[in-house]
Amino acid sequence: MELLADLGLAVLLSTLEVLGLAGLWFAEGLKRWAAKGQSVPDSTGQYMLVLSTGSACSAVVAYGLSSAGLPIACTAQAVLAALLVLLLLLVAGAAWGRRLGTDRLRHRLRRERLRWHESQCEGSTSAELDDDEDGAD
């Protein structure tokens, strides 16, 4: 009987956590859909907060279940905590990649703009020199 309770608790806790995470992703998707092409604030920070808090809570629950002598539920929570940490790393890596790409684009555009300004300055200086030479004849 204890095995059934342990297994039932593992399934219940895991299902609740997965449903909560899926609900958050669904709500964020609805926000983007409702905006209909307009800009929506980036929710990466919110995802990272939810994933880090969720993984920490799962680890604490796993420790409590281990102390209560429920090994199946403890293992399920530990695996779920590890998966949430993995998902957190993926979200953080994707955010860092987007940030890096944006920074590189800004630097490239700045270099191109500086080169264009330098070429404009060189062109006006050589045109002034040509005018001075024509006036000296």
Side-chain angles (χ1 to χ4, degrees):
M1 190 67 181
E2 185 178 311
L3 181 66
L4 270 163
D6 189 12
L7 188 61
L9 188 60
V11 170
L12 178 69
L13 289 174
S14 300
T15 303
L16 287 175
E17 287 186 42
V18 169
L19 285 176
L21 190 59
L24 172 72
W25 252 286
F26 181 74
E28 289 300 319
L30 274 179
K31 285 181 191 176
R32 291 187 186 275
W33 176 77
K36 295 184 181 176
Q38 297 174 353
S39 81
V40 176
D42 189 23
S43 58
T44 303
Q46 185 178 6
Y47 286 146
M48 290 175 67
L49 177 68
V50 166
L51 290 172
S52 60
T53 305
S55 63
C57 288
S58 290
V60 169
V61 168
Y63 178 74
L65 292 170
S66 172
S67 299
L70 299 169
I72 296 173
C74 172
T75 304
Q77 287 299 304
V79 168
L80 201 55
L83 290 174
L84 288 174
V85 167
L86 179 65
L87 194 56
L88 174 66
L89 290 174
L90 290 173
V91 168
W96 181 76
R98 279 192 307 272
R99 171 94 185 231
L100 183 65
T102 302
D103 287 347
R104 292 186 72 187
L105 177 65
R106 284 184 187 153
H107 287 298
R108 185 179 58 84
L109 291 175
R110 184 170 183 261
R111 278 194 312 269
E112 289 176 2
R113 192 171 48 245
L114 288 174
R115 285 183 189 143
W116 183 81
H117 284 297
E118 288 173 358
S119 69
Q120 295 299 312
C121 290
E122 289 174 2
S124 64
T125 312
S126 63
E128 289 173 4
L129 290 175
D130 290 342
D131 289 341
D132 290 340
E133 289 174 4
D134 290 338
D137 285 341

